[in-house]
Amino acid sequence: MSDKTRVCIVGSGNWGSAIAKIVGANCARLSNFDDRVTMYVYEEMIDGKKLTEIINTTHENVKYLPGHKLPSNVVAIPDIVEAAKEADILIFVVPHQFIRNFCSSLLGKIKPTAVAISLIKGFDIAEGGGIDLISHIITRHLKIPCSVLMGANLANEVAEEKFCETTIGSRDMKMAPTFRDLFQAHHFRVVVVDDVNAVEVCGALKNIVACGAGFVDGLGLGDNTKAAVIRLGLMEMIKFVDIFYPGSKLATFFESCGVADLITTCYGGRNRKVSEAFVKTGKSIKELEAEMLNGQKLQGPITAEEVNFMLKNKQMEDKFPLFTAIHKICSGTIQAKDLIDCIRNHPEHMKITHVAKL
């Protein structure tokens, strides 16, 4: 048996394939990792051929990351248990609404000593009207520790090796050097922090704000209004973490997972793009997702619904008026133009604040 660390990537969409370029190259280059990286691929037929066969022969995910070669040591496998059974590190990068099913499939069929890291930006609904963090679901269902990786990381730009930063949140800082070795590249710089919940929550909530930015673009209201949405969104993100995940650090919001990811997603990314089209075309979010995303899933509207479910149950919608308005627009309760009244009357604009000197 090899004492080298074996890696499995669970997921092969746009972001999963982009990260496979980095992880595959690092595992081939570094002696402490096993050369072979398995990648679970949901099997699809593309022009009469299986997607896994196309990836394993051409080393290209022609559906989700066309035009980019994957390292030849990344092996596509259509069976999730087969892909994951020997892994020491499981990298989860799938739409968040599927994570419970994946965990059910893997329960008892992975190494008990394995660790996980989630690249999934989203929440799930918990019992009792709250929300569940994806890393918590993975840990609870698979009985293994789970770290998170979040940042201003648009998948296509990462695949094109344009410089960016990312943030890893880990409770076990002894794993920090291993995670850094696994993910860091000349164009992809990693900072590891121990504030796991805040890192993960930032990665989910910014998709809600990005929908608001897209509505602003669809209404043709310009960058000043979008900047207001971004600022108010950041304030609500900080408040959300402070209320529901106390003990987190304000400094985490200034890592790549926080303000950087928020800005990037509000100017690029699928949530902004689809939300702009939602205003301009009058089509439903579901129609636009099918038309514009080539099989990928939109996270912002679902996350907004999950967050609103919790806020409504806790009678706290009025404390998060931007999140609440964005959910109501996505669900058709109010119109996109009503977002401006929400911004104009936001409680942040009612404050008179004494700013202390540094």
Side-chain angles (χ1 to χ4, degrees):
M1 290 291 288
S2 170
D3 59 355
K4 294 185 175 184
T5 301
R6 297 181 178 182
V7 178
C8 170
I9 302 169
V10 181
S12 58
N14 189 230
W15 183 210
S17 298
I19 211 68
K21 286 189 65 177
I22 295 172
V23 168
N26 284 340
C27 287
R29 179 176 59 85
L30 298 170
S31 60
N32 51 320
F33 292 100
D34 192 89
D35 181 76
R36 183 175 185 262
V37 175
T38 57
M39 180 170 72
Y40 165 68
V41 176
Y42 176 75
E43 193 70 280
E44 301 177 64
M45 299 302 292
I46 310 291
D47 297 329
K49 294 182 179 179
K50 292 180 179 179
L51 181 56
T52 52
E53 291 178 3
I54 295 171
I55 292 172
N56 289 333
T57 54
T58 69
H59 307 297
E60 181 182 351
N61 188 335
V62 293
K63 178 163 187 181
Y64 295 109
L65 196 68
H68 293 280
K69 287 291 182 183
L70 301 178
S72 59
N73 61 313
V74 175
V75 181
I77 298 176
D79 183 313
I80 189 171
V81 173
E82 183 65 28
K85 66 182 182 181
E86 296 296 331
D88 299 296
I89 297 177
L90 294 161
I91 302 170
F92 284 92
V93 53
V94 293
H96 79 271
Q97 53 267 47
F98 302 140
I99 193 62
R100 290 180 189 271
N101 287 339
F102 283 122
C103 287
S104 296
S105 299
L106 291 173
L107 181 61
K109 296 171 182 172
I110 58 172
K111 287 184 176 181
T113 54
V115 299
I117 183 164
S118 170
L119 279 61
I120 301 168
K121 296 179 176 179
F123 297 126
D124 203 357
I125 292 176
E127 292 179 12
I131 57 171
D132 224 348
L133 299 190
I134 302 302
S135 66
H136 293 189
I137 293 171
I138 292 169
T139 292
R140 193 167 62 247
H141 284 259
L142 293 182
K143 313 290 191 285
I144 60 174
C146 185
S147 300
V148 298
L149 181 151
M150 306 282 156
N153 308 143
L154 296 179
N156 286 335
E157 293 186 13
V158 173
E160 290 162 8
E161 301 190 4
K162 294 177 178 176
F163 180 83
C164 67
E165 303 171 313
T166 200
T167 310
I168 290 177
S170 179
R171 291 178 182 84
D172 181 5
M173 293 307 280
K174 287 183 288 187
M175 279 298 298
T178 301
F179 284 140
R180 185 179 285 119
D181 286 348
L182 185 58
F183 289 101
Q184 185 146 275
H186 71 282
H187 64 286
F188 194 73
R189 308 310 285 176
V190 175
V191 173
V192 186
V193 301
D194 61 2
D195 196 6
V196 185
N197 288 342
V199 172
E200 184 168 4
V201 172
C202 281
L205 294 180
K206 58 94 185 182
N207 284 328
I208 303 177
V209 186
C211 290
F215 298 149
V216 168
D217 288 340
L219 293 165
L221 295 174
D223 284 339
N224 292 339
T225 306
K226 190 193 280 194
V229 167
I230 293 171
R231 187 188 77 83
L232 295 170
L234 178 61
M235 296 302 290
E236 291 196 8
M237 287 168 62
I238 293 169
K239 181 188 285 188
F240 189 94
V241 171
D242 189 47
I243 291 173
F244 299 112
Y245 299 93
S248 295
K249 302 175 181 73
L250 184 62
T252 304
F253 292 91
F254 296 95
E255 297 292 349
S256 183
C257 62
V259 67
D261 195 11
L262 178 62
I263 293 168
T264 289
T265 312
C266 287
Y267 278 89
R270 68 189 78 157
N271 290 285
R272 188 218 61 81
K273 182 169 68 173
V274 172
S275 296
E276 178 182 10
F278 174 77
V279 177
K280 288 183 172 178
T281 66
K283 294 180 180 179
S284 71
I285 295 284
K286 194 165 187 178
E287 284 177 292
L288 292 166
E289 183 182 60
E291 285 179 19
M292 298 174 67
L293 297 186
N294 191 33
Q296 297 177 79
K297 296 297 180 184
L298 201 64
Q299 300 298 324
I302 296 173
T303 305
E305 182 179 9
E306 290 161 350
V307 167
N308 187 257
F309 177 78
M310 182 175 79
L311 295 177
K312 196 168 187 177
N313 277 334
K314 296 181 182 297
Q315 298 182 320
M316 294 180 71
E317 285 179 295
D318 61 326
K319 292 186 181 296
F320 298 89
L322 184 66
F323 290 171
T324 300
I326 290 168
H327 164 65
K328 287 180 177 179
I329 293 166
C330 289
S331 60
T333 308
I334 64 174
Q335 295 183 309
K337 64 181 177 61
D338 297 325
L339 181 68
I340 304 311
D341 285 334
C342 162
I343 297 169
R344 186 180 292 117
N345 299 318
H346 198 283
E348 279 295 312
H349 293 143
M350 307 301 156
K351 295 194 309 188
I352 298 174
T353 305
H354 171 71
V355 180
K357 292 180 180 177
L358 291 175

